[in-house]
Amino acid sequence: MVQHGGNGFFQSTCIDFSANTNFLGIPEPVMQAARSGLVAAMLSQKEPGGTLGGHIAEWEGVQEEQVFCGNGASEIVRSLMQVLKPKKALLPAPGFEEYTRALSMVQCETAYFYTSPDSGFRIPLEEFLESITEETDCVFFCNPSNPSAQLYDREFLNAVLKQCEKVHARLILDECSLDFAEHAQDITMCSKTAEKSLFIIKDFTKMFAMPGIRLGYGLCTDKELMEQLNSTAQPFGVSAVAQRAGIACTKEREFVQKTVKETAKERAWLLEEFEKIGITQAKGEANYIFFKSRPRLHGFAIMHGVMLRDCSNFEGLLEGYYRAAVRSREENEKLAEVLRQWQNLA
């Protein structure tokens, strides 16, 4: 079974830094909308005041027919693979494990592009472009990268997209955590959705702290592909609760702006504390920090009330790499204290 961040067994005794969701929690209007969805669950799935896809289209600045909704980003990936049925896919490593799992379900060959710890696992553009060949059917790319927290600008991504178009490959771009980054509007490729080779994956899970309300969406202008996705999708696949909550999310731009500001402040504080503690190999560009320490930190942290994401099960990583979500100042101080104790044991 694929291991992810978040472990209910320890959440009652630990501050959960393993799951990279918004520490500000669910906005109250979204919570109220989700509650109203429980009542709506007894009625028709049709929502008053417009569809979920229509609201997301307005939120993202695209057309409604360019939006495909599902139960979280992972389901979007699986649905996409079931339709595309690629023969060979290219994945940067380390990277999100669900891509590999979805590819294995359609017997797709996976080629990994391994990155180096010497560069903080940052992808070198020219070498990456050379690895996208005529044999490549699709390329998965996560921005910012998970778990290594590297952020790539639009110039980099445009070059990758251009190479994909050249060899007739599909670029599947995961932007699920991009909204936490400063100046995300200057980086997102949503403005490039006119390119049929591009499929963008996003969700509401992380920004609006609602992993239990599964809601993700894909953006693409390939009309034939979108029709195939919709025709093969489960009828009424998105619950009434998720629909109501999702529509409410699209009205929370001020909440997103507040989140970006608070996240940037706390991320900067944590990175500074990491350096003071002596953890120099740390990187953060979204709402999580990727860092290197010694093996067995994960167990030590749990015993001291902090749960980290042990990244040793990511392709291309060995023991000693961890990911920590950015949380509130009080919680971040607790994390810093635990890491300080750990470093003092060396």
Side-chain angles (χ1 to χ4, degrees), residues 2 21 37 43 50 242 267 305:
V2 176
T21 53
L43 306 173
R267 181 177 60 234

Side-chain angles (χ1 to χ4, degrees), residues 3 13 20 47 50 53 59 108 126 128 134 136 143 186 199 202 204 213 230 238 250 265 267 273 297-298 311-312 314:
Q3 173 190 343
T13 58
N20 52 327
E47 290 296 320
W59 171 261
C108 179
E126 293 304 320
F128 189 63
E134 297 285 349
T136 308
N143 193 38
D186 298 326
F199 191 99
K202 302 193 75 171
F204 287 123
I213 304 177
N230 284 301
V238 179
T250 65
K265 180 179 70 175
R267 181 177 60 234
E273 288 299 303
L297 167 59
H298 183 254
C311 295
S312 59
F314 279 87

Side-chain angles (χ1 to χ4, degrees), residues 236-253:
F236 309 114
V238 179
S239 72
V241 172
Q243 287 188 53
R244 293 283 179 98
I247 290 173
C249 287
T250 65
K251 305 179 189 302
E252 292 293 326
R253 293 193 185 276

Side-chain angles (χ1 to χ4, degrees), residues 128-202:
F128 189 63
L129 295 180
E130 290 173 3
S131 67
I132 304 172
T133 69
E134 297 285 349
E135 296 180 351
T136 308
D137 293 313
C138 63
V139 177
F140 279 87
F141 201 99
C142 189
N143 193 38
S145 56
N146 181 13
S148 55
Q150 293 280 355
L151 187 64
Y152 298 87
D153 60 25
R154 193 177 288 168
E155 182 179 358
F156 185 106
L157 297 170
N158 277 330
V160 174
L161 178 58
K162 184 177 180 180
Q163 178 63 15
C164 286
E165 292 172 339
K166 181 179 179 182
V167 300
H168 306 291
R170 181 88 57 177
L171 174 58
I172 302 167
L173 179 61
D174 185 337
E175 291 190 353
C176 287
S177 294
L178 181 59
D179 287 339
F180 289 96
E182 296 176 280
H183 311 297
Q185 69 278 3
D186 298 326
I187 300 170
T188 179
M189 292 287 280
C190 283
S191 63
K192 302 290 289 185
T193 50
E195 309 296 337
K196 291 185 177 181
S197 297
L198 176 63
F199 191 99
I200 297 176
I201 298 172
K202 302 193 75 171

